[in-house]
Amino acid sequence: MQNWSKNVDFNDRAYFQPETLAELQELVRTHQKIRVRGTAHCFNEIANTSSYAINLAQMPKTIEVDADKQSVLVAAGLTYGDLAPALHSQGWALGNMASLPHISIAGSISTGTHGSGIKNQNLANQVLSLDLVTAEGELRHIDRANPAFNVLVVGLGLGGVVYQYELKIEPTFEIRQVIYPEIPLDVLQRNFDQIMGTAYSVSYFTDWSSAQVGNLWCKFRDEEVIPESVGGSTKADQKYHPIPSVDPVACTEQLEVAGDWHDRLSHFKLEFTPSVGEEIQTEFFVSRKDAAAAIEAVLRLGEEITPLLWITELRTIAADSLWLSGAFDRDTLAIHFTWKKMDAIYPVIEKVEAALRPFNYRPHWGKVFTANANYLSSVYPKIGEFKALVEALDPTRKFENSFTRSSLS
Ligand SMILES: Cc1cc2nc3c(=O)[nH]c(=O)nc-3n(C[C@H](O)[C@H](O)[C@H](O)COP(=O)(O)OP(=O)(O)OC[C@H]3O[C@@H](n4cnc5c(N)ncnc54)[C@H](O)[C@@H]3O)c2cc1C
């Protein structure tokens, strides 16, 4: 078995797919080492194990809306592609989505997966409570009042196996997607908050080439006014893929055509391969107040980056209090790279990390990075306390793997 991008071979001794909570609890209780895996869309070793792997795709497909609480109880192993249309058909919505709906809810939340929006936090902040199976096989309910909540939501699979979540929902809404092509990077740098605040969710796609321009993807909610032009660029009259040379057939509708939130907030349609397929992703989070300087630092590497790159996406994420979230305690710019699948990318990734070090960049837990545990503990200030709490919960370190050992040691 391999991960989605086929750059990681899984070493599982066995792969279990329990069908009931009792079966899941028994598997966790009776195995010395076990690692839970979602849809395997991470680009690094985070979901790998040389021991036993467990996956929740065959568990009961719970989706229960509580209209009074504006929440949904959802099975952790479902994907956003399972949840979103079911919510919409009952008149409800999630506040945001990642660029694709194919990923599991638990796998996404556990790595701090995010969409975009100056005011939008990452997907883990939709969690109101979670039920997780502990190392002893006990079911434990953790809500926002519990001091362990901020520790365990973005938990990298270390706190236990999340069985179900209660997620915050809101009345369903529509989105109109509009693209403003070829906005110069320097215009973006000078007006970063204003341009990235054009709509509810905004992404800027660039390849760092000498043209120094990028396409601005804006997702407007019902009530938002759509400007004729942004940053000197007028609304596109054709459909785009994030990589301008690729056929946009896989992309959700654009050109201002109103559609349900779940058909627009992601860039890619569920029934198509998202992104390019043959790719490796990296992503680094810096404080939004450093946006112009951090962009400048990456731009200086443009000549080396562009030939190896499919595309970069710049997004914003609002600050939160989840200890291992990339946006912990700071409003964030996410600088994402979709690389061509070539060995030559790795030295350049290290150079990008070095260029962003003055900005205390944090790497996305689910993507490729080279930073070591020392560096990670300097930029995720609560890592020490996280480790202590996880060790108290799981003294035999049942859920760890080589990735978490080397990243958190
Ligand atoms: C094409 C593509 C586009 C992407 N776009 C985005 C994007 O827009 N934004 C973004 O932030 N990321 C994005 N990603 C990255 C991806 O969404 C995340 O890495 C996410 O973690 C993938 O979820 P998964 O279920 O596949 O996780 P997996 O790789 O299966 O697992 C990830 C982690 O979650 C843990 N985990 C899984 N299930 C459970 C559970 N039940 N209980 C406890 N822990 C659990 C695992 O132990 C592991 O540590 C993209 C990836 C791809 C391939």
Side-chain angles (χ1 to χ4, degrees):
M1 274 176 93
Q2 290 182 307
N3 65 338
W4 176 84
S5 66
K6 299 191 172 57
N7 64 325
V8 174
D9 293 318
F10 292 133
N11 302 318
D12 320 337
R13 249 194 267 172
Y15 181 75
F16 300 117
Q17 290 195 303
E19 294 180 10
T20 64
L21 174 59
E23 235 183 279
L24 166 63
Q25 289 178 284
E26 184 65 5
L27 279 168
V28 173
R29 196 180 60 75
T30 54
H31 286 81
Q32 245 176 15
K33 292 270 178 208
I34 199 154
R35 185 92 184 136
V36 58
R37 186 176 304 143
T39 41
H41 274 55
C42 287
F43 292 84
N44 57 28
E45 297 277 342
I46 193 169
N48 201 357
T49 179
S50 53
S51 181
Y52 297 95
I54 197 162
N55 169 268
L56 307 188
Q58 301 305 321
M59 296 284 286
K61 302 196 183 319
T62 310
I63 299 181
E64 288 168 17
V65 169
D66 183 329
D68 293 334
K69 276 180 81 179
Q70 300 222 339
S71 70
V72 60
L73 186 70
V74 60
L78 292 184
T79 66
Y80 288 95
D82 297 322
L83 173 62
L87 274 183
H88 175 69
S89 69
Q90 296 178 61
W92 296 98
L94 295 171
N96 211 355
M97 303 263 283
S99 68
L100 74 176
H102 308 64
I103 45 183
S104 87
I105 294 168
S108 305
I109 288 171
S110 300
T111 62
T113 292
H114 62 95
S116 192
I118 294 265
K119 294 189 184 143
N120 294 329
Q121 296 175 314
N122 69 26
L123 307 186
N125 288 278
Q126 293 166 356
V127 177
L128 295 171
S129 74
L130 52 99
D131 291 300
L132 104 170
V133 176
T134 64
E136 293 86 32
E138 305 294 328
L139 192 64
R140 194 164 160 203
H141 181 74
I142 296 172
D143 62 18
R144 287 185 172 194
N146 189 317
F149 183 86
N150 286 341
V151 192
L152 292 179
V153 176
V154 179
L156 316 183
L158 287 173
V161 179
V162 181
Y163 160 65
Q164 60 187 11
Y165 292 101
E166 189 187 10
L167 301 180
K168 190 167 48 177
I169 54 175
E170 56 188 281
T172 193
F173 57 89
E174 289 197 329
I175 292 277
R176 288 160 297 159
Q177 196 163 200
V178 178
I179 291 169
Y180 299 88
E182 302 205 345
I183 297 181
L185 258 171
D186 68 323
V187 172
L188 178 75
Q189 284 170 283
R190 276 186 274 112
N191 307 281
F192 188 81
D193 286 0
Q194 187 197 337
I195 290 182
M196 294 305 280
T198 301
Y200 181 69
S201 168
V202 175
S203 297
Y204 180 86
F205 289 98
T206 183
D207 65 1
W208 307 104
S209 68
S210 54
Q212 298 193 7
V213 293
N215 293 343
L216 193 77
W217 287 41
C218 295
K219 297 171 194 281
F220 294 93
R221 273 183 82 139
D222 318 88
E223 66 283 1
E224 288 182 309
V225 176
I226 301 181
E228 275 309 305
S229 70
V230 177
S233 164
T234 39
K235 293 189 277 194
D237 55 7
Q238 65 176 82
K239 212 178 151 185
Y240 280 83
H241 189 278
I243 303 156
S245 58
V246 174
D247 187 332
V249 63
C251 296
T252 51
E253 291 315 315
Q254 302 163 15
L255 300 168
E256 263 182 81
V257 180
D260 305 333
W261 59 278
H262 62 98
D263 277 339
R264 297 290 183 280
L265 283 173
S266 289
H267 304 323
F268 301 107
K269 292 178 178 166
L270 183 61
E271 61 276 24
F272 285 86
T273 299
S275 198
V276 206
E278 278 295 302
E279 68 191 61
I280 300 292
Q281 296 187 7
T282 58
E283 189 165 38
F284 305 111
F285 304 117
V286 297
S287 172
R288 208 176 81 210
K289 70 178 170 39
D290 292 328
I295 290 170
E296 196 60 34
V298 178
L299 189 55
R300 275 187 225 114
L301 296 169
E303 275 183 25
E304 291 179 77
I305 294 173
T306 307
L308 304 173
L309 189 75
W310 287 114
I311 201 72
T312 271
E313 180 175 13
L314 303 181
R315 285 178 281 185
T316 56
I317 312 162
D320 65 32
S321 0
L322 305 174
W323 288 8
L324 261 53
S325 161
F328 174 73
D329 221 13
R330 65 186 192 194
D331 286 329
T332 291
L333 158 64
I335 309 178
H336 163 90
F337 300 80
T338 303
W339 300 97
K340 294 176 183 165
K341 219 172 170 183
M342 305 160 85
D343 289 341
I345 63 175
Y346 296 99
V348 179
I349 290 171
E350 281 191 57
K351 286 188 185 178
V352 172
E353 289 180 85
L356 292 176
R357 225 180 152 118
F359 307 103
N360 294 324
Y361 79 87
R362 295 173 181 153
H364 189 308
W365 292 113
K367 303 188 181 181
V368 168
F369 61 88
T370 69
N372 62 23
N374 269 347
Y375 178 78
L376 293 172
S377 60
S378 72
V379 292
Y380 284 97
K382 297 276 198 181
I383 265 189
E385 290 166 77
F386 173 84
K387 278 192 300 189
L389 196 125
V390 161
E391 201 157 316
L393 270 177
D394 177 19
T396 63
R397 301 183 176 188
K398 179 173 284 201
F399 300 116
E400 72 173 11
N401 66 357
S402 60
F403 174 92
T404 60
R405 261 195 309 279
S406 66
S407 303
L408 306 183
S409 64

